[in-house]
């Protein structure tokens, strides 16, 4: 069944108001993970924007990755991405996730996560700041339309 423009606008509005994200560390040092989790604390409280952390890829709209892709995690990253329902978006959080960062050149490092899955938003920093993560999610929500 074809959706009308009005229906599409309502669905996109709902998506912008309640983005659920899944977090996956593909092989980083844990620094970016701590910054990402801090956005859930009462101090920053992203739930006030309707942003919720989800633990199942099947219920997530956004995949937020930290760390570089390693030989060990590349298949898992691809599988998690494929399990997410469309439409779906990916945020690369931290320099390692964007480019491989300080791990570049390691024997098992493939590079940034865009070597394996498409990325919509890149958030640099080592580690990336929690405010930058919130800004990245908002930038993505503006792109959703
Ligand atoms: S960007 Fe820095 S803090 Fe984040 S995973 Fe890489 S080394 Fe760790």
């Amino acid at each position: 069944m074809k959706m009308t423009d009005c229906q599409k606008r309502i669905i996109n509005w709902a998506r912008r108001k309640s983005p659920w994200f899944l977090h996956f560390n593909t092989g980083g040092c844990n620094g970016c993970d701590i910054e990402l989790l801090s956005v859930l604390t009462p101090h920053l409280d992203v739930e006030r924007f309707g942003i919720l952390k989800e633990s199942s890829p099947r219920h997530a709209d956004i995949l937020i990755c930290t760390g570089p892709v390693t030989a060990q995690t590349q298949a898992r990253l691809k599988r998690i991405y494929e399990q997410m329902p469309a439409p779906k978006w990916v945020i690369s959080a931290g320099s390692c996730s964007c480019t491989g960062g300080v791990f570049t050149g390691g024997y098992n490092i493939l590079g940034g996560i865009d070597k394996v899955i498409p990325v919509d938003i890149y958030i640099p920093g080592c580690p990336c700041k929690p405010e930058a993560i919130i800004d990245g999610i908002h930038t993505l929500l503006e792109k959703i339309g």
Side-chain angles (χ1 to χ4, degrees), residues 63-77:
L63 176 61
I64 301 182
C65 289
T66 53
V69 179
T70 66
Q72 185 185 24
T73 56
Q74 65 168 325
R76 289 175 200 161
L77 175 62

Side-chain angles (χ1 to χ4, degrees), residues 67-125:
V69 179
T70 66
Q72 185 185 24
T73 56
Q74 65 168 325
R76 289 175 200 161
L77 175 62
K78 197 160 188 294
R79 199 177 323 131
I80 285 172
Y81 180 74
E82 286 169 351
Q83 285 174 343
M84 291 172 65
K88 53 193 166 186
W89 298 274
V90 177
I91 294 177
S92 171
S95 299
C96 291
S97 184
C98 295
T99 64
V102 294
F103 295 101
T104 301
Y107 70 95
N108 62 342
I109 302 297
L110 305 185
I113 61 165
D114 58 7
K115 293 272 190 282
V116 179
I117 57 173
V119 172
D120 300 282
I121 298 284
Y122 293 87
I123 304 171

